[in-house]
């Protein structure tokens, strides 16, 4: 899918789509509960109340920049907790090239946060070594997120650091950034903590039009209707709820397009005591 925001074009590149089976991260999102939210169908849930999600990246093309926001799972990774995320051989780079943006033309990579499903294509395997996928890009990572990797040894996170983060820091391609960072004239970063402590969202504004790339502020639109349905993988579930409340409250009724890390499209509308996504 593609969105036009003034002079900025945003294109979604899907790596994995799933129906059902993700309820473990949103235990309150049972089929019964999802069926009650009729507006979720058909885009975000099926008729049986099974949750629809995707893992994807966005290509954000401004008049001067080519930015990739979040880099999915990646190919050839190992030691991932979810079996289907190991040893993948997906067409992401071919899709990008077919869209007229081969990897070497990307000048910026932005990771909203540094979880496994947002950093994978930072690197590719070449001759047994992990090398930066986007050799001419600056990789923007939140300082707070990056420093989290020093907190304590954790075998699964260490594997992610070693194959998807360390190779780009070793190549001196990483810029650690803070909320408020202006990526270019049309794109800036805001703090949206909760899912992770240093989680960033990207605001896009051009010619009076806006979009917000919210990463994992919400994993699924059902969390707009139930702000307190925090994901079991949220670092600080109470903060994650507050961030949704404040952010979606600020955007409700505006034409800002919301693009999530695992769902896309729509504007925020107030409904009952919370919100829904209007597509
Ligand atoms: Zn995610």
């Amino acid at each position: 899918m593609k969105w036009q925001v003034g002079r900025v074009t945003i294109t979604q590149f899907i790596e994995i789509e799933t129906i059902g089976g993700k309820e473990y991260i949103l235990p309150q999102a049972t089929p019964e509960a999802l069926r009650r939210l009729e507006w979720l169908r058909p885009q975000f849930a099926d008729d049986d109340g099974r949750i629809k999600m995707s893992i994807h990246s966005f290509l954000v093309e401004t008049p001067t920049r080519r930015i990739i926001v979040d880099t999915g799972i990646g190919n050839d990774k190992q030691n991932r907790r979810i079996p289907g995320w190991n040893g993948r051989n997906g067409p992401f780079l071919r899709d990008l090239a077919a869209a007229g943006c081969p990897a070497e033309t990307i000048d910026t990579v932005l990771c909203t946060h540094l979880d496994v499903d947002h950093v994978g294509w930072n690197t590719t395997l070449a001759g047994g070594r992990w090398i930066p996928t986007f050799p001419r890009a600056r990789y923007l990572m939140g300082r707070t997120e990056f420093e989290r990797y020093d907190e304590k040894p954790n075998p699964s996170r260490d594997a992610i650091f070693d194959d998807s983060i360390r190779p780009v820091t070793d190549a001196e391609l990483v810029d650690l950034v803070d909320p408020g960072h202006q990526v270019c004239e049309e794109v800036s970063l805001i703090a949206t903590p909760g899912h992770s402590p240093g989680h960033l969202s990207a605001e896009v504004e051009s010619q009076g039009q806006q979009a917000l790339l919210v990463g994992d502020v919400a994993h699924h639109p059902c969390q707009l209707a139930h702000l307190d349905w925090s994901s079991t993988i949220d670092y600080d579930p109470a903060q994650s709820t507050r961030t949704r409340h404040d952010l979606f409250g600020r955007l409700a009724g505006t034409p800002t397009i919301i693009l999530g890390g695992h769902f896309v499209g729509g504007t925020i509308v107030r409904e009952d005591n919370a919100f829904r996504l209007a597509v």
Side-chain angles (χ1 to χ4, degrees), residues 55 113 115 117-118 195 215-216 219 233 261-262:
I55 295 175
H113 61 301
D115 281 355
D117 52 328
H118 297 260
H195 173 59
D216 288 359
H219 285 83
I233 50 174
H262 303 292

Side-chain angles (χ1 to χ4, degrees), residues 151-209:
E151 276 174 11
K152 54 184 175 218
N154 171 327
S156 122
R157 285 178 68 78
D158 291 349
I160 297 160
F161 190 87
D162 288 344
D163 61 37
S164 300
I165 298 172
R166 192 192 306 281
V168 280
T169 58
D170 285 352
E172 300 184 347
L173 297 180
V174 173
D175 292 328
L176 297 182
V177 295
D178 297 300
H181 180 79
Q182 193 83 32
V183 179
C184 61
E185 186 184 331
E186 299 85 2
V187 182
S188 57
L189 306 181
I190 60 170
T192 46
H195 173 59
S196 62
H199 189 286
L200 298 167
S201 295
E203 284 187 319
V204 178
E205 175 156 14
S206 175
Q207 297 182 321
Q209 298 184 303

Side-chain angles (χ1 to χ4, degrees), residues 19-25 50-51:
I19 300 180
K22 290 285 179 195
E23 294 84 350
Y24 73 94
I25 61 165
R50 290 184 304 167
I51 205 161

Side-chain angles (χ1 to χ4, degrees), residues 228-279:
D228 59 341
W229 283 7
S230 290
S231 156
T232 54
I233 50 174
D234 283 353
Y235 178 84
D236 182 343
Q239 178 61 55
S240 153
T241 297
R242 282 195 295 277
T243 293
R244 281 188 290 280
H245 177 274
D246 295 349
L247 187 67
F248 298 155
R250 179 159 71 78
L251 298 174
T254 75
T256 302
I257 300 163
I258 303 299
L259 300 171
H262 303 292
F263 66 91
V264 294
T267 56
I268 294 182
V269 179
R270 276 187 199 280
E271 187 164 274
D272 302 325
N273 293 322
F275 308 98
R276 71 179 165 84
L277 207 55
V279 291

Side-chain angles (χ1 to χ4, degrees), residues 104-154:
E104 58 274 16
T105 69
I106 300 298
D107 54 56
T108 310
V109 176
L110 166 67
C111 300
T112 59
H113 61 301
L114 299 180
D115 281 355
V116 58
D117 52 328
H118 297 260
V119 300
W121 278 107
N122 282 359
T123 56
T124 42
L125 195 57
R129 281 179 55 233
W130 292 106
I131 60 167
T133 305
F134 307 101
R136 300 204 174 127
R138 299 305 301 175
Y139 285 68
L140 310 184
M141 300 180 185
R143 191 182 312 278
T144 306
E145 285 295 296
F146 189 83
E147 287 169 355
R148 256 184 100 195
Y149 272 93
D150 286 336
E151 276 174 11
K152 54 184 175 218
N154 171 327

Side-chain angles (χ1 to χ4, degrees), residues 35-115:
R35 277 200 296 264
R36 282 195 287 275
L37 299 172
E38 286 177 21
W39 57 269
L40 290 177
R41 297 195 294 272
Q43 190 168 340
F44 306 118
D46 71 4
D47 289 341
D48 296 326
R50 290 184 304 167
I51 205 161
K52 291 187 180 179
M53 292 176 77
S54 57
I55 295 175
H56 52 244
S57 303
F58 295 109
L59 169 66
V60 179
E61 294 174 276
T62 80
T64 57
R65 303 286 284 270
R66 279 185 172 171
I67 306 166
I68 296 283
V69 178
D70 287 334
T71 62
I73 301 292
N75 278 359
D76 300 307
K77 305 290 172 171
Q78 298 296 338
N79 302 312
R80 300 309 194 236
R81 200 167 41 83
I82 298 191
W85 293 359
N86 285 300
R88 290 184 54 78
N89 180 22
F92 174 68
L93 292 182
R94 286 200 299 278
D95 292 348
L96 206 53
C101 294
E104 58 274 16
T105 69
I106 300 298
D107 54 56
T108 310
V109 176
L110 166 67
C111 300
T112 59
H113 61 301
L114 299 180
D115 281 355

